[in-house]
Amino acid sequence: MKDVNINLLQTSSNKIHVLKKIARNLLQHNLSCCVHISSSVSSYYMWNESLQEDREHILQAKIKPEAFETCSHLIKTHHNYDLPEIILLPIDKIDSDYLAWATSELT
């Protein structure tokens, strides 16, 4: 299998305009080739020893793994949360045509 040098960056927010701003910045700075923002989902989490329930949107962006620290800084700069979720997920398999396009967009 060909080495996949694209990962999936994920963050979430209860403010869709925040995620739209992050998406635009990721694309304009050539850090991502494609960004998706979901419809709202129910989120449950512990914060300050209290169970929280919220409606959030999830942002997923395809990035090169070496761009993670730059993307993380960008997200923290524009995010409305004190401690935003910022995770990087590996992509094990990807369509070769899509990989070629994504790689060409991220150079």
Side-chain angles (χ1 to χ4, degrees), residues 63-99:
I63 70 166
K64 288 189 172 184
E66 58 267 23
F68 178 75
E69 293 303 324
T70 303
C71 293
S72 180
H73 177 74
L74 186 148
I75 290 169
K76 289 176 183 177
T77 299
H78 297 289
H79 212 286
N80 62 308
Y81 290 174
D82 293 334
L83 182 63
E85 167 196 32
I86 305 171
I87 59 175
L88 191 64
L89 305 166
I91 297 175
D92 293 330
K93 295 183 181 181
I94 189 169
D95 177 79
S96 60
D97 294 334
Y98 187 89
L99 178 59

Side-chain angles (χ1 to χ4, degrees), residues 24-33 67 104-107:
R24 284 191 298 275
N25 273 276
L26 289 170
L27 293 164
Q28 289 169 346
H29 289 92
N30 203 36
L31 295 168
S32 177
C33 61
S104 73
E105 290 296 320
L106 292 172
T107 55

Side-chain angles (χ1 to χ4, degrees), residues 37-49:
I37 300 174
S38 73
S39 300
S40 66
V41 296
S42 296
S43 293
Y44 301 87
Y45 54 94
M46 297 300 294
W47 186 253
N48 295 326
E49 300 180 15

Side-chain angles (χ1 to χ4, degrees), residues 4-70:
V4 177
N5 193 31
I6 301 289
N7 285 182
L8 195 61
L9 175 73
Q10 182 171 300
T11 191
S12 58
S13 175
N14 60 354
K15 307 282 187 201
I16 196 164
H17 72 275
V18 168
L19 295 180
K20 287 180 178 181
K21 184 173 186 176
I22 292 169
R24 284 191 298 275
N25 273 276
L26 289 170
L27 293 164
Q28 289 169 346
H29 289 92
N30 203 36
L31 295 168
S32 177
C33 61
C34 179
V35 179
H36 295 149
I37 300 174
S38 73
S39 300
S40 66
V41 296
S42 296
S43 293
Y44 301 87
Y45 54 94
M46 297 300 294
W47 186 253
N48 295 326
E49 300 180 15
S50 177
L51 178 61
Q52 304 293 315
E53 179 180 348
D54 208 346
R55 299 296 294 172
E56 292 185 304
H57 301 272
I58 298 169
L59 177 148
Q60 292 184 324
K62 284 81 167 184
I63 70 166
K64 288 189 172 184
E66 58 267 23
F68 178 75
E69 293 303 324
T70 303

